Amino acid sequence: MKNVNNIEPLIDMSKIVKKYYIGQPNELEILHGIDLKVYPGEFVAIVGESGSGKSTLMNIIGALDKATEGEYFLEGVDLKKCPDEEMSKIRNEKIGFVFQNFNLIGRTSAIKNVELPMFYAGMPPKKRTERAGKLLDMVGMKERGNHQPNELSGGQKQRVAIARSLANNPAIILADEPTGALDSETSRTVMDIFHELNRKQGKTIVLITHSKELAEECPRVVTIKDGHVIGDREGRAYNGDN
C-alpha cells in the first residue's frame, strides 16, 4: 500500500521467510519472502484459506515467533535482534491481542482480566483499576466487570478481550479470527467495535481471517496464498450497515 504522507510504517516486513525442521530431511518452508508494511491508523485484513501461512505470519507480526530470514521492524525496532525478555515486553506493551477463543483467565473477574497487561507493565493498582473500568465501559461491559468468564456469553467475553487488548494503549491491535466462535449478530457487534476504534480513535488494526466477507469490509485487504502475498488492495467502504 502506498505511503502518501511519508509516515514511517508501524509494521515493516521485508523478505520474511519462515522455515521449520531446519537442516532435517523434512525441512518445511511456510512463508516465502513476505513483504508487508502497515501504517499508523490503518485497518488491514490479512485473508487466506487454511494452510495459506496467515497464522504463521500472525505469530511473527505479534512477536510470538521470529522469522527464519528477512527483516521485521515494529515501530522502528528490529525484532530479529531482540532478546526474549524484550520481545515479551513488546508483546505486552506494543501489541493488543484479540483471539478467537478469547484467552480470558477463568475464575477471575472481567475487570481483573483487563487489568492484567497493566499489572505486567507495572502500573499502580488504583490507576489500572480505573483504566480497566473505562475500557469496559467503552465496549459496553462496565456493568459486567465483576463477572467471571463462565458467567459471560461469547460476545461478552470477546468485548472483554477487546478491552484488555487496549489496556496499555498499544501501537497495534492484532485480531486473530476474532469472530470465529460467534454467531452472525454477535460477530457484527464485535466488528462494529473494531471499526469504531479505528475511525474514532485512530487505532491501527490488523485482522487475520479466513472470511472473505469480513475482510472485504476493511479498508485494505492483503491476501495470502501458499506463503506468498498475492493481493494487496482496497476493500469496500464500511458505512455502519455492513
Side-chain angles (χ1 to χ4, degrees):
M1 189 62 65
K2 222 178 255 188
N3 179 16
V4 295
N5 297 317
N6 295 319
I7 300 170
E8 290 298 315
L10 284 176
I11 293 171
D12 191 353
M13 291 183 151
S14 177
K15 298 179 174 58
I16 293 293
V17 172
K18 183 61 183 179
K19 299 179 182 179
Y20 295 96
Y21 316 115
I22 297 171
Q24 299 179 35
N26 59 339
E27 181 172 306
L28 182 64
E29 185 171 301
I30 302 296
L31 301 179
H32 314 293
I34 297 282
D35 294 329
L36 178 68
K37 296 182 192 294
V38 176
Y39 293 91
E42 282 199 283
F43 190 166
V44 183
I46 297 177
V47 65
E49 301 295 336
S50 179
S52 63
K54 68 182 186 301
S55 294
T56 302
L57 180 60
M58 186 277 293
N59 286 336
I60 295 172
I61 291 173
L64 297 165
D65 199 0
K66 289 186 177 182
T68 308
E69 300 171 20
E71 295 183 329
Y72 175 24
F73 290 87
L74 177 63
E75 281 202 316
V77 176
D78 186 351
L79 294 197
K80 199 168 184 181
K81 296 179 179 178
C82 284
D84 289 345
E85 187 176 336
E86 184 64 21
M87 289 279 278
S88 179
K89 186 176 180 183
I90 286 169
R91 284 194 299 271
N92 188 52
E93 298 181 9
K94 299 289 186 183
I95 304 166
F97 293 95
V98 182
F99 295 104
Q100 177 177 340
N101 60 355
F102 321 123
N103 280 21
L104 300 179
I105 297 174
R107 299 186 180 179
T108 303
S109 68
I111 196 163
K112 291 298 182 186
N113 267 281
V114 176
E115 282 185 44
L116 197 59
M118 295 180 273
F119 169 79
Y120 286 123
M123 187 180 293
K126 185 177 179 181
K127 188 174 180 181
R128 66 177 184 250
T129 300
E130 182 181 330
R131 177 162 173 76
K134 289 180 179 177
L135 291 172
L136 285 173
D137 191 27
M138 185 189 305
V139 297
M141 287 294 293
K142 187 175 183 180
E143 301 304 317
R144 308 285 283 179
N146 291 321
H147 288 70
Q148 296 181 7
N150 64 358
E151 299 172 312
L152 303 174
S153 68
Q156 289 171 334
K157 290 176 187 176
Q158 199 59 295
R159 283 190 276 166
V160 172
I162 293 170
R164 182 187 56 190
S165 77
L166 296 165
N168 288 325
N169 193 26
I172 297 160
I173 296 174
L174 184 57
D176 182 25
E177 301 283 8
T179 65
L182 306 176
D183 60 50
S184 58
E185 184 178 348
T186 310
S187 296
R188 179 71 269 146
T189 300
V190 167
M191 286 301 295
D192 287 345
I193 291 172
F194 283 129
H195 283 291
E196 187 171 341
L197 288 170
N198 175 250
R199 285 185 164 188
K200 294 187 177 179
Q201 296 190 28
K203 288 292 180 185
T204 305
I205 301 173
V206 177
L207 172 74
I208 313 293
T209 184
H210 70 276
S211 168
K212 292 179 181 178
E213 184 180 356
L214 280 186
E216 280 298 330
E217 68 178 66
C218 299
R220 180 181 169 197
V221 182
V222 175
T223 304
I224 302 276
K225 184 177 181 180
D226 298 330
H228 297 275
V229 173
I230 63 166
D232 190 344
R233 60 181 177 78
E234 291 184 358
R236 70 172 188 263
Y238 170 79
N239 58 18
D241 297 318
N242 291 53

